[in-house]
């Protein structure tokens, strides 16, 4: 290992800038903790910088359409908060979160059949922080996390950062396949691998858009209970269903075996960064300690703003507005796919949420196609980002949450053209050679 002082002195001797001041050389490269090696920026980030140009139809971003909020009202609410409750709103808060907001969160969760007390809730900086805290308190390097294949890219990044080994469970258009879950648990237990928890997004999954059906919910609960495996139920899209009542949460049927993660990012706005974890008491206590060590306390300001919004505004109506808006966009995407895609391409048909998961014909690689798609002014997220081992090259995630319906149709028209061309190239020159896809490929927050 090269002592840092030596490295810096040597550069200064040559009249150069120290390595830490804007240089590309990282003088501390050999000082990072081993876990930091799992943190890698996606090589496709640069492409997405181009994809955010207005002429590109982005079916990539997972950004909620916050423009549909009554922004004047939010402005007034925030301003009132400072003038009327400034000394509290601008002060430190408790590590567990504002007690009144925690009660309101319980009202929200009741819509999914959960009956819990405010004392069971920890408010977090988005559900992303809840994921981080859960991983921090449960995972030692090498521990196993079970997750759907594919799974949420932000969770995979967190698991990688804590050096967990993610084992994917097969999923179909009805969610996790219970037999695959049972067999994987059996194989891992037989091999002596320590399984710490199952991470699942049972409703309107990110990225696949599928929902765990009613019968399977009970099977998944039973399998995990028998094996003594904790379930982390991540449910940011649960209230964004397009038909009927919200699905009953897994947590509703097993308060001791499930940690439930919720968020106001999709039902209000991600900019407030308010999410939560609902956990059995022993786990809750650890989460509060981990929360305090991470940030002391969440922002009182945004917690009170969300609390005030829930107390004074028709939030259920607002969720309905979001649902109708996203349903129209989902319909636009599915109709365009039906009409324009080559018949060899298949895709899921989500009943809510933000995402469609498409599968390309044999021999096509979505990551290789992306630059050509961006050149044709359409973007998507390649499937490789949603698997911990970088598989998934034949898949792509298409988001319908942000572009307007006409743009979605135009985006699909462009994408269908690119895929047809790729199929012709494949037919002429043969299958693209297998490419290396290693590690977790995190494309960044606006794409999560
Ligand atoms: C499945 C899932 N979990 C968690 C998050 C993080 O959401 P937030 O931290 O904004 O609550 C997202 C964001 O896209 C998500 O899709």
């Amino acid at each position: 290992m090269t002592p840092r002082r030596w490295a810096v002195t040597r550069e200064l001797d040559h009249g150069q800038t120290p390595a830490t001041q804007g240089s590309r050389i990282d003088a501390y490269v050999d000082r990072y903790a081993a876990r930091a090696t799992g943190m890698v920026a996606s090589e496709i980030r640069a492409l997405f910088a181009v994809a955010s140009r207005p002429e590109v139809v982005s079916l990539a971003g997972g950004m909620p359409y916050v423009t549909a909020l009554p922004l004047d009202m939010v402005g007034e609410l925030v301003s009132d908060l400072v003038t009327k409750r400034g000394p509290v709103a601008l002060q430190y808060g408790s590590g567990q979160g504002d007690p009144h907001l925690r009660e309101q969160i319980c009202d929200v969760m009741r819509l999914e059949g959960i009956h819990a007390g405010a004392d069971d809730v920890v408010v977090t900086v988005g559900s992303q922080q809840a994921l981080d805290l859960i991983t921090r308190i449960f995972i030692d390097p090498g521990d196993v996390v079970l997750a759907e294949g594919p799974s949420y890219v932000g969770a995979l990044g967190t698991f990688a950062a804590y050096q967990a080994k993610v084992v994917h469970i097969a999923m179909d258009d009805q969610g996790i396949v219970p037999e695959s879950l049972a067999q994987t648990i059996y194989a891992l237990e037989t091999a002596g691998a320590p399984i710490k928890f199952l991470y699942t997004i049972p409703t309107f999954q990110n990225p696949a858009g599928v929902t765990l059906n009613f019968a399977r919910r009970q099977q998944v609960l039973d399998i995990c209970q028998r094996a003594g495996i904790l379930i982390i139920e991540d449910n940011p899209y649960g209230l964004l269903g397009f038909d009927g009542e919200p699905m009953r949460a897994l947590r509703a049927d097993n308060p001791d075996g499930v940690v439930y993660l919720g968020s106001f990012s999709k039902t209000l706005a991600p900019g407030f960064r308010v999410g939560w974890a609902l956990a059995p008491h022993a786990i809750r206590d650890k989460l509060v300690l981990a929360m305090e060590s991470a940030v002391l306390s969440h922002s009182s300001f945004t917690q009170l703003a969300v609390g005030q919004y829930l107390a004074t505004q028709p939030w259920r109506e607002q969720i309905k507005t979001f649902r109708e808006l996203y349903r129209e966009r989902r319909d636009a995407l599915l109709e365009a796919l039906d009409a324009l895609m080559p018949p060899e391409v298949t895709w899921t048909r989500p009943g809510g949420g933000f995402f469609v998961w498409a599968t390309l014909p044999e021999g096509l690689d979505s990551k290789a196609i992306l630059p050509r798609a961006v050149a044709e002014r359409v973007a998507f997220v390649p499937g490789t980002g949603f698997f911990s081992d970088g598989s998934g090259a034949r898949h792509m995630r298409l988001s319908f949450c942000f572009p307007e319906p006409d743009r979605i149709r135009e985006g699909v028209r462009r994408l269908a053209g690119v895929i047809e061309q790729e199929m012709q190239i494949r037919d002429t020159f043969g299958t693209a050679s297998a490419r290396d896809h290693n590690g977790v490929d995190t494309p960044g927050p606006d794409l999560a």
Side-chain angles (χ1 to χ4, degrees):
M1 180 166 93
T2 311
R4 182 175 62 86
R5 191 171 301 164
W6 181 84
V8 171
T9 316
R10 198 173 63 135
E11 290 199 13
L12 287 174
D13 284 349
H14 288 80
Q16 294 165 352
T17 327
T20 47
Q21 289 180 9
S23 162
R24 283 160 171 267
I25 299 164
D26 183 354
Y28 305 101
V29 70
D30 50 3
R31 307 294 173 96
Y32 290 111
R35 79 184 80 88
T37 58
M39 299 173 171
V40 282
S42 164
E43 68 213 56
I44 53 180
R45 268 187 202 219
L47 258 185
F48 284 119
V50 180
S52 62
R53 290 190 188 154
E55 65 272 23
V56 177
V57 177
S58 180
L59 303 172
M63 291 180 297
Y65 195 71
V66 289
T67 312
L69 283 168
L71 293 176
D72 290 349
M73 175 282 297
V74 176
E76 269 172 44
L77 186 148
V78 167
S79 151
D80 277 2
L81 195 58
V82 178
T83 49
K84 298 188 179 144
R85 299 178 68 195
V88 181
L90 301 179
Q91 192 50 273
Y92 285 117
S94 96
Q96 190 171 353
D98 178 64
H100 184 53
L101 176 63
R102 285 188 275 120
E103 272 168 27
Q104 293 169 304
I105 285 172
C106 292
D107 294 341
V108 174
M109 290 191 293
R110 216 161 291 135
L111 299 175
E112 293 168 338
I114 295 175
H115 294 275
D119 199 30
D120 308 323
V121 174
V122 183
V123 183
T124 54
V125 182
S127 51
Q128 185 67 34
Q129 193 201 19
L131 266 170
D132 183 90
L133 299 179
I134 283 285
T135 314
R136 188 187 308 193
I137 65 173
F138 278 105
I139 296 298
D140 287 316
D143 286 347
V144 173
V145 170
L146 305 175
E148 288 127 356
S151 186
Y152 165 51
V153 65
L156 296 180
T158 302
F159 301 150
Y162 287 95
Q163 299 168 281
K165 178 176 160 37
V166 175
V167 176
H168 289 294
I169 309 292
M171 191 172 64
D172 61 20
D173 60 359
Q174 300 296 311
I176 280 188
V177 179
E179 294 73 25
S180 166
L181 176 64
Q183 281 161 13
T184 307
I185 292 173
Y186 178 75
L188 287 164
E189 282 180 342
T190 310
I195 305 172
K196 288 297 176 73
F197 53 77
L198 165 69
Y199 168 72
T200 175
I201 310 149
T203 309
F204 315 132
Q205 206 242 14
N206 180 1
V210 302
T211 294
L212 186 65
N213 73 26
F214 188 74
R216 285 189 183 182
R217 286 186 183 236
Q218 200 49 54
Q219 287 175 283
V220 168
L221 283 168
D222 289 346
I223 292 167
C224 287
Q225 193 162 22
R226 271 201 306 277
I229 292 173
L230 179 68
I231 298 177
I232 311 299
E233 177 179 24
D234 188 8
N235 195 26
Y237 306 98
L239 296 181
L240 294 180
F242 305 144
D243 322 284
E245 293 301 304
M247 275 303 260
R248 192 173 165 78
L250 294 172
R251 163 60 176 74
D253 293 313
N254 188 353
D256 296 328
V258 180
V259 173
Y260 175 98
L261 310 186
S263 174
F264 289 109
S265 288
K266 324 292 169 172
T267 51
L268 174 52
F272 286 115
R273 305 307 299 128
V274 176
W276 68 92
L278 169 69
H281 280 186
I283 298 177
R284 176 214 56 194
D285 288 350
K286 296 267 189 237
L287 286 174
V288 173
L289 292 174
M291 177 73 185
E292 287 170 355
S293 105
V295 293
L296 293 181
S297 69
H298 192 301
S299 153
S300 302
F301 184 72
T302 63
Q303 286 186 78
L304 294 193
V306 172
Q308 196 63 11
Y309 170 80
L310 294 171
T312 62
Q313 301 302 316
W315 58 270
R316 288 180 183 79
E317 286 305 304
Q318 181 60 44
I319 293 177
K320 208 169 145 217
T321 303
F322 277 131
R323 281 204 310 256
E324 281 163 10
L325 185 130
Y326 295 134
R327 185 204 283 118
E328 193 192 356
R329 292 172 187 204
R330 186 270 321 252
D331 289 347
L333 179 58
L334 291 182
E335 281 161 23
L337 289 168
D338 287 338
L340 300 167
M341 273 292 161
E344 294 87 343
V345 182
T346 58
W347 53 88
T348 57
R349 307 189 80 85
F354 285 5
F355 308 111
V356 164
W357 182 244
T359 304
L360 297 172
E362 196 81 50
L364 264 60
D365 179 328
S366 62
K367 204 167 181 172
I369 292 174
L370 183 61
R372 293 193 265 278
V374 171
E376 292 298 325
R377 293 165 297 128
V378 59
F380 56 83
V381 184
T384 46
F386 305 99
F387 290 87
S388 64
D389 56 3
S391 60
R394 265 181 66 197
H395 302 278
M396 55 174 67
R397 191 190 72 178
L398 304 175
S399 309
F400 51 83
C401 48
F402 202 75
E404 312 243 327
D406 279 348
R407 297 277 291 163
I408 291 177
R409 286 188 250 309
E410 176 57 23
V412 172
R413 194 187 61 72
R414 294 175 189 172
L415 183 59
V418 172
I419 292 174
E420 265 162 20
Q421 270 181 3
E422 288 293 318
M423 290 170 66
Q424 281 167 14
I425 293 171
R426 176 201 62 184
D427 294 344
T428 312
F429 298 106
T431 303
S433 59
R435 292 169 177 83
D436 280 346
H437 295 291
N438 290 319
V440 177
D441 198 12
T442 44
D446 50 344
L447 299 165

